[in-house]
Each structure stands twice: as structure tokens, then as C-alpha cells.
Amino acid sequence: MTSMGLHKCWKITRAMVSFIIFLSFLEESKACEYDHASLEAFVRDRANQEIAKARAGTLYDIPLPSNFSGMNFSVLRVRSGSLRRRGANYSSYNLPPLIKLEPYVKRIAIIFENFGNWSSRYYHVPNHTIVAPVLGLLAYNTSETALVLSRRLNLSIREETPIKVRFFRSWVHGNNEEKPVCAKLGDDGRLVELKEMREPFVCDTQSEGHYTLVVPVLEEAKNKDARQRYHNRTRWAALIGIGSGLIVLLLVICVFVVIKLLKRRKLKTMEETAEKGEIIGEFWVGLSKMPSASMVRTQPALEN
Ligand SMILES: *[C@@H]1O[C@H](CO)[C@@H](O)[C@H](O)[C@H]1NC(C)=O
Ligand SMILES: *[C@@H]1O[C@H](CO)[C@@H](O)[C@H](O)[C@H]1NC(C)=O
Ligand SMILES: *[C@@H]1O[C@H](CO)[C@@H](O)[C@H](O)[C@H]1NC(C)=O
Ligand SMILES: *[C@@H]1O[C@H](CO)[C@@H](O)[C@H](O)[C@H]1NC(C)=O
Ligand SMILES: *[C@@H]1O[C@H](CO)[C@@H](O)[C@H](O)[C@H]1NC(C)=O
């Protein structure tokens, strides 16, 4: 019965510990919500599965599962020679002639991205608010059998004739007091650089990557944000503290109850054996078991 009690104790404690761990994981995953590398790989795989025969120079939408709704990815396969000679204009992107490929391959696949309403989940610009969708272009090697190989390629072009990433005016939200600036974002979602727009709602760039428009967060709002984060953190710390306290308390109670039960059981068995008259066999002295009958026999000899 006591071992069952112990077992139950252990099970309850374990369940509580895993619950706390689960909660902290939830909190963790909220902080660095989405993984860029796995999204990139996922989109690549989808393109290879869903688009059987991609004609050169044709832009294809990459179909995504419904839980990605709001994002938009498309893919273009093109001969490097053609891209170099003529450049290309697709949806939001102007690729001028003379783009350099590193390493050089004969044909490339370009994935155009629009993160839509997912932009601020995947990307974060410190002290700034993202006011437009994150757009991106990534270049990959391609082959006869796979539309998009995992090998990424670098694009580069002279500063005078940049690649242009265009945002529709209607995509840009927020109050129009602050003039937005271009933000270049890294593959890991972090800010690479900020740059003034030369043309309204157009980011000029000399390489592949992710781009969006941001406005600086006002000092006041920033402080409010920081305070909010501080509050969240302290609330979370308090929750963890209370949780751990509860677990320790539960453990102490459990151990206490088990010890109590053990003691009671021992007392009971001792009483039972005493009733049966078997106590004469042996009893406890300090930590050693002693045969009591022999002691009784030696006693008279000591007294005399
Ligand atoms: C959509 O679900 C798939 C699994 O079915 C998952 O791998 C993917 O990360 C989900 N997408 C998003 C944007 O959460
Ligand atoms: C984005 O909008 C679509 C509907 O257009 C919606 O289904 C999706 O949940 C939204 N995603 C986010 C992250 O808000
Ligand atoms: C792309 O558009 C620019 C102007 O926006 C134009 O000068 C260029 O010729 C176009 N290129 C192609 C290949 O259509
Ligand atoms: C954001 O602003 C705060 C306060 O003005 C400053 O301490 C911090 O360094 C800024 N962060 C970045 C990444 O510029
Ligand atoms: C690009 O893909 C082609 C076709 O599979 C292959 O022959 C070539 O070695 C690849 N190049 C690079 C740089 O990965």
C-alpha cells in the first residue's frame, strides 16, 4: 500500500514538473516564434513536389498548405545567360541586366517571397515597426530533376543599376507621420541594414535577400513596450516560482505521508506479532538485532 502511495506521489510530481516545463517551452517558442531555415526548406520541397515541368521564364505560384494562408511564394526558372543579357521584371521585382552569379551555374531558380501578414512574426527590427510586408528574392541552383536545389547562389550588381523591390502604396500601413525606410533582413530574421528610399516605396539593393519598410518607434512607445515586456517577464517569473514552490510542497507532503504510513504499518505488524507471542524471538537494541531469549537467560548470572 505504501509503495503504491509512493508511486502515486511520484506520478503526480512528475506530471506537475512536465506541465511547468511545457509552459516554459510555450513561453520560449513565443519569443523566437518561427524558424527561417525550416520554412525555406519546406517551400523548396513544395516547389519540387507541386511544379512538375517548369518552363524557363514563367513565374509559378508555389501552392502551400492552408495554415500558411497569407504568405505567397513563387518561383522562376531562368537561364543565367538570359538573365544577364535582359534582366527580368516579375511582380514586385525589377532585376536589371548584368547581375553577377556566385557561384556561376547555367540555370537558376529564383524564389520570390511575400510574407504578407506573417511578416512581423518572422522578422523583427529593433526599435522599429514593420509597416509593409517582407518581400524577398532568393536564388538557387536548379537541375533537370529538381526545380529548386538546396544550393543557394549569391546575386550581385553595381550600385548604379540596383535590383528594385517595389511595395504597393496600399500595402504600407501605420500613420503617415514618419517616413518609412528600407530594411534589409538576414536569413535568420535579423536586421542587416537600414537605408533611405530613393524612389517612393522602392528598396534598392545590390543582392538577394529579404526587404521591408520600417518606421522608428517613438521613445514613448518604446518605453511602454519595454515596461510591458518587463511586466510579462516578472509575471512569468512569479508563475514559475509559485509552480516550483507547489512542487516542493507536494513532495514534502508526499514524503511526510509515506513516512507516516510506513511507521503506522510497522507499529501494526509489531502489535500483530506481539499478539501472536512471537516478540520473544528478537527485539531491537540500538541498531542491532539481538536474540532476546539468550539475554533473559544470562541475566540471573550477572545478578548473582
Ligand atoms: C503548417 O503545418 C505544417 C505541418 O502540417 C508545419 O510543418 C508548418 O510549420 C505549419 N506552418 C506554419 C506557418 O505554422
Ligand atoms: C493572415 O491572413 C489569413 C487570411 O487572409 C489568415 O487565414 C491567417 O491566419 C493570417 N495569418 C496571421 C499570422 O495572422
Ligand atoms: C523591366 O522594367 C524596366 C522599367 O521598370 C524596363 O526599363 C526594363 O526594360 C524591363 N525589363 C524587361 C526584361 O522587361
Ligand atoms: C533601441 O533603443 C534603446 C533606447 O533608445 C537603445 O538603448 C537600444 O540600443 C536600441 N536598440 C538598437 C538595436 O538599436
Ligand atoms: C548545379 O546543379 C547542376 C545540375 O545538377 C550541377 O551539375 C552543378 O554542379 C550544380 N552547381 C553547384 C554550384 O552546385
Side-chain angles (χ1 to χ4, degrees), residues 33-35 38-39 42 65-69 71 118 122:
E33 254 164 319
Y34 298 101
D35 177 19
S38 70
L39 176 72
F42 182 78
S66 58
N67 62 339
F68 288 88
S69 135
M71 297 188 214
W118 293 83
Y122 276 91

Side-chain angles (χ1 to χ4, degrees), residues 91-111:
S91 61
S92 284
Y93 310 85
N94 293 142
L95 305 176
L98 300 178
I99 289 177
K100 213 176 123 203
L101 264 183
E102 179 64 44
Y104 180 81
V105 295
K106 247 180 151 162
R107 289 182 179 79
I108 70 170
I110 301 177
I111 289 188

Side-chain angles (χ1 to χ4, degrees), residues 10-222:
W10 170 236
K11 260 168 105 172
I12 291 171
T13 314
R14 210 171 45 184
M16 277 191 76
V17 168
S18 10
F19 184 65
I20 293 269
I21 289 173
F22 169 73
L23 274 184
S24 56
F25 260 119
L26 268 189
E27 195 64 12
E28 263 320 87
S29 63
K30 249 198 270 170
C32 54
E33 254 164 319
Y34 298 101
D35 177 19
H36 293 80
S38 70
L39 176 72
E40 203 185 303
F42 182 78
V43 169
R44 224 166 41 220
D45 288 346
R46 290 291 288 195
N48 292 334
Q49 285 158 18
E50 302 285 329
I51 303 161
K53 277 255 175 282
R55 272 203 322 238
T58 304
L59 189 68
Y60 293 89
D61 257 346
I62 303 172
L64 292 177
S66 58
N67 62 339
F68 288 88
S69 135
M71 297 188 214
N72 195 304
F73 292 78
S74 46
V75 61
L76 167 76
R77 180 191 251 160
V78 66
R79 293 180 71 96
S80 321
S82 154
L83 182 67
R84 184 176 172 76
R85 270 195 312 277
R86 292 209 292 264
N89 291 329
Y90 287 95
S91 61
S92 284
Y93 310 85
N94 293 142
L95 305 176
L98 300 178
I99 289 177
K100 213 176 123 203
L101 264 183
E102 179 64 44
Y104 180 81
V105 295
K106 247 180 151 162
R107 289 182 179 79
I108 70 170
I110 301 177
I111 289 188
F112 296 108
E113 315 171 324
N114 183 338
F115 279 82
N117 56 355
W118 293 83
S119 298
S120 48
R121 302 221 177 183
Y122 276 91
Y123 295 93
H124 180 68
V125 180
N127 295 343
H128 289 77
T129 308
I130 293 178
V131 293
V134 172
L135 303 182
L137 70 160
L138 299 176
Y140 294 90
N141 196 5
T142 177
S143 74
E144 286 306 320
T145 48
L147 175 53
V148 189
L149 295 172
S150 59
R151 182 73 160 100
R152 278 271 296 270
L153 310 167
N154 297 321
L155 304 179
S156 60
I157 181 94
R158 287 165 38 213
E159 199 177 350
E160 302 85 81
T161 55
I163 295 170
K164 289 176 189 286
V165 180
R166 296 177 183 278
F167 297 85
F168 284 115
R169 211 167 281 250
S170 61
W171 285 352
V172 181
H173 48 83
N175 55 10
N176 295 332
E177 285 162 26
E178 287 282 345
K179 191 166 172 273
V181 292
C182 283
K184 177 174 184 172
L185 304 159
D187 285 339
D188 56 0
R190 270 192 261 259
L191 177 69
V192 175
E193 68 168 335
L194 293 173
K195 207 161 131 191
E196 295 279 327
M197 284 186 276
R198 281 198 292 190
E199 236 178 286
F201 305 107
V202 176
C203 288
D204 289 350
T205 169
Q206 292 168 258
S207 64
E208 79 287 349
H210 316 272
Y211 303 89
T212 190
L213 302 178
V214 298
V215 293
V217 173
L218 298 177
E219 203 63 35
E220 204 179 313
K222 204 154 56 191

